[in-house]
Amino acid sequence: MAQASFSAVPHHIAIVMDGNGRWARRRLLPRVAGHRQGVESLRRCIRACAERGVKVLTVFAFSSENWNRPEDEVSGLMELMGKALTREVPELKKNGIRLYFVGDRQSLSERMRQGLTQAEGQTADNARMVLNVCFNYGGRWDIAQAAARLAARGEPITEAALGRAMALAHVPDPDLLIRTGGEQRISNFLLWQCAYSELYFSERLWPDFDETALDEAMAAFAERERRFGKTSEQVAQQATG
């Protein structure tokens, strides 16, 4: 497929990968089958983002609220993550993708925690693109853990200090937040980091989100004017000055 070119490529794209369960239900399949297909879509998206010059991709893989889903679905997701670590990490390493897992690891099994840490270590020398996988993550948890970390160190809780203590402090804030599946909310994802992100909502279910859908989102982003509280005139003057 020919690669689209854009006047403004987002440095950091964040994605709420929604619609796996509905994709499976429409095909009379178990929900976990949708999650498996979602992994295939994520693999495509990672490759496409790297080819288009995106430097950071952050995806919402498992929220802190997802523990409330049916037990068989949760266990299936955990099994899927374990298999993905084995199968995907060597490919990420080969393609220059640095992997971070972002979220609360305390409630995960010791085996899972070790697997996440090992996967991060295997890709630590890569520099082509950063892939943040938000796993057992919630935006409110992120803000609370940052505040708790500062309080434990006796540091004043300021906006700048909180930003440095956030779980995604190793990358700039997202330029573009994409949510698939037709829902128009951010569902406790990157509440702090997405204060000035451009929002894009796609009707496509995540397993159907392909390179063309990504290009559509990036094209929409390229048409946006990002003012960050300034006027259009100020933005234009800054661009030409």
Side-chain angles (χ1 to χ4, degrees):
M1 180 180 293
Q3 181 179 327
S5 61
F6 305 98
S7 58
V9 174
H11 181 91
H12 182 177
I13 295 178
I15 305 179
V16 179
M17 306 181 292
D18 193 21
N20 292 338
R22 281 172 286 162
W23 184 92
R25 187 168 64 245
R26 291 175 185 179
R27 289 159 178 78
L28 304 180
L29 297 170
R31 289 178 62 88
V32 73
H35 295 305
R36 291 194 192 98
Q37 192 63 35
V39 172
E40 298 298 322
S41 185
L42 177 57
R43 183 185 296 114
R44 265 198 326 262
C45 186
I46 293 168
R47 181 177 62 248
C49 282
E51 290 173 350
R52 286 152 177 74
V54 175
K55 296 304 180 185
V56 183
L57 174 63
T58 300
V59 297
F60 207 4
F62 188 85
S63 78
S64 49
E65 288 80 21
N66 285 157
W67 293 108
N68 297 320
R69 292 193 173 188
E71 186 177 343
D72 60 339
E73 182 176 356
V74 172
S75 62
L77 283 167
M78 293 300 127
E79 181 182 355
L80 191 60
M81 173 59 83
K83 290 181 178 178
L85 288 174
T86 301
R87 189 175 68 172
E88 305 299 335
V89 171
E91 191 72 14
L92 294 174
K93 182 177 180 179
K94 184 177 75 173
N95 291 326
I97 312 298
R98 182 166 187 177
L99 181 61
Y100 287 88
F101 289 97
V102 181
D104 184 5
R105 302 191 188 186
Q106 295 305 309
S107 55
L108 303 178
S109 68
E110 178 62 27
R111 181 179 179 182
M112 180 64 75
R113 290 198 297 268
Q114 289 179 354
L116 301 186
T117 300
Q118 184 178 11
E120 289 175 331
Q122 288 175 348
T123 64
D125 294 331
N126 289 348
R128 183 184 182 192
M129 188 177 80
V130 169
L131 172 63
N132 297 306
V133 177
C134 291
F135 190 74
N136 197 26
Y137 174 89
R140 291 178 176 177
W141 163 84
D142 196 0
I143 295 169
Q145 68 83 28
R149 187 182 300 179
L150 294 178
R153 296 199 294 247
E155 293 185 32
I157 299 178
T158 65
E159 184 174 327
L162 275 172
R164 291 191 297 269
M166 289 287 165
L168 279 166
H170 58 282
V171 292
D173 290 343
D175 302 291
L176 173 63
L177 170 64
I178 300 169
R179 180 173 184 143
T180 63
E183 306 290 355
Q184 296 190 15
R185 56 179 178 268
I186 59 175
S187 297
N188 198 23
F189 183 48
L190 306 182
L191 298 181
W192 178 274
Q193 295 86 352
C194 283
Y196 280 98
S197 301
E198 297 297 322
L199 307 182
Y200 180 87
F201 300 104
S202 172
E203 292 296 321
R204 297 200 195 198
L205 303 177
W206 175 245
D208 295 326
F209 192 85
D210 56 14
E211 294 87 347
T212 298
L214 177 66
D215 286 342
E216 289 170 355
M218 292 179 65
F221 172 84
E223 295 297 318
R224 308 267 181 101
E225 181 184 66
R226 307 190 73 203
R227 295 191 295 273
F228 298 98
K230 298 178 181 179
T231 66
S232 296
E233 291 75 16
Q234 286 175 304
V235 172
Q237 186 178 22
Q238 185 177 17
T240 56

